[in-house]
Amino acid sequence: VLPLLRAEQRLVAMEDGSRSAALASESPTSVSSSSSKAIRLPLRGITAGETTATTKQNQAKFWHGSFRVLGGAESKRERVLPLLRALRKVETSNCPLPAPAGDEGKSVGPLQIGFAYHQDAWDLPKDGCRDTWHTKCQGLEYSEQTCLRYWARWCPWALQFNDLEALARAHNGGPRFHRALKTGRYWRKVRGALGVEGGEKGGYAGGANPPPEGPATAITVPLLALSF
C-alpha cells in the first residue's frame, strides 16, 4: 500500500509543478478561471501501527461509553470469585488482614491496590484524599468491589466474557497491560494459583467455568451490549 501512496504523491507533485508553470504563462483572466478548478491534495501515508488522535477518541468513546457489562459489574462477582481468590494468594499469600503494604507503600490491602487504581475504579479525583484508599482497601470485600469496578471501566469485554487472563494482567499492569511483559509472568503465577485452588495440580486453570466432561454440549455466547 505504501509504495502506491508514494507513487500517487509523486504524480500529484509533478502535476502541481506543471500546473504552476502553466498558470505563470497565462493571462490574469485565464489565471483566475484556472484557479477556480479543484486542486488535488497529495495523500498522506499512514504507517502500520500509527494511532491518530481521532482513533484514540473513537476507542475511548466505544469502550467507555458504548460497551456495557450486562447486569453490572457486581453481577459478575460470583463468576470471577476464583480469580479474585487467586489474586489474593499471589499478592499477599492469603495472609491475615490487615495485609502489609507493598511496592514501598504504594499498594495496600489483600489485593495490593494502588492509589491511582482505586481512584480510577471509583471515578474519584486523581489528587483526592488518600485516607479512603488506605483504610478501605484493607477490607477484602471493598478490595474485590474495587477490582470489579476497575475491570468494568478499562476492560469491560474481559469481564463480560470471563477472560481471566486479561483481567489478571489488567490488575497487574493497568489498561495497557498488553505492552508490559511482566503481566505475562504475573498471569502464569495466577494461573498456577487457580489450578491449586481447583484441587488439581496442573489441572484446568481457566477460572470459574471448567470444560464440561462427557459429550460436547451447546455453548450459549452472550451478546455484546452496544448503544450508538
Side-chain angles (χ1 to χ4, degrees):
V1 176
L2 290 178
L4 292 177
L5 292 178
R6 295 193 183 99
E8 174 70 10
Q9 290 175 351
R10 287 196 295 269
L11 180 60
V12 171
M14 293 173 61
E15 291 178 355
D16 289 344
S18 303
R19 187 180 296 110
S20 300
L23 290 176
S25 61
E26 291 179 356
S27 61
T29 17
S30 60
V31 168
S32 60
S33 62
S34 300
S35 60
S36 63
K37 297 180 181 178
I39 300 176
R40 295 178 60 190
L41 297 177
L43 300 176
R44 185 178 71 89
I46 301 179
T47 58
E50 179 180 355
T51 304
T52 64
T54 305
T55 303
K56 291 181 179 179
Q57 291 175 1
N58 291 339
Q59 290 173 347
K61 183 179 179 182
F62 177 78
W63 294 121
H64 306 310
S66 299
F67 195 104
R68 298 192 305 272
V69 177
L70 297 178
E74 289 296 328
S75 66
K76 309 301 179 186
R77 182 180 181 277
E78 290 301 321
R79 192 169 65 172
V80 299
L81 189 58
L83 174 63
L84 293 169
R85 295 293 183 260
L87 292 179
R88 182 184 179 188
K89 182 177 181 64
V90 170
E91 294 286 0
T92 56
S93 301
N94 291 330
C95 70
L97 300 178
D103 297 330
E104 299 180 354
K106 297 178 182 178
S107 302
V108 299
L111 300 180
Q112 293 294 283
I113 293 174
F115 178 70
Y117 185 116
H118 175 267
Q119 301 302 93
D120 269 355
W122 295 94
D123 198 19
L124 297 174
K126 302 294 184 184
D127 55 350
C129 179
R130 291 176 174 262
D131 292 341
T132 302
W133 157 70
H134 196 274
T135 304
K136 288 192 173 183
C137 281
Q138 290 292 349
L140 179 59
E141 183 177 354
Y142 184 84
S143 295
E144 291 177 349
Q145 291 176 351
T146 302
C147 285
L148 290 169
R149 292 177 65 95
Y150 186 85
W151 291 332
R153 176 173 185 178
W154 291 113
C155 50
W157 71 92
L159 189 58
Q160 177 64 41
F161 300 123
N162 208 34
D163 187 341
L164 301 186
E165 178 177 355
L167 295 175
R169 294 178 66 182
H171 177 74
N172 178 247
R176 299 179 180 176
F177 63 85
H178 57 284
R179 298 185 179 181
L181 295 177
K182 68 169 187 173
T183 63
R185 296 189 294 270
Y186 182 81
W187 164 241
R188 286 193 289 272
K189 294 179 182 179
V190 174
R191 186 173 56 188
L194 281 167
V196 170
E197 290 202 358
E200 296 179 4
K201 185 176 181 181
Y204 177 70
N209 299 317
E213 296 181 359
T217 56
I219 299 175
T220 302
V221 180
L223 299 177
L224 289 172
L226 303 178
S227 61
F228 296 96

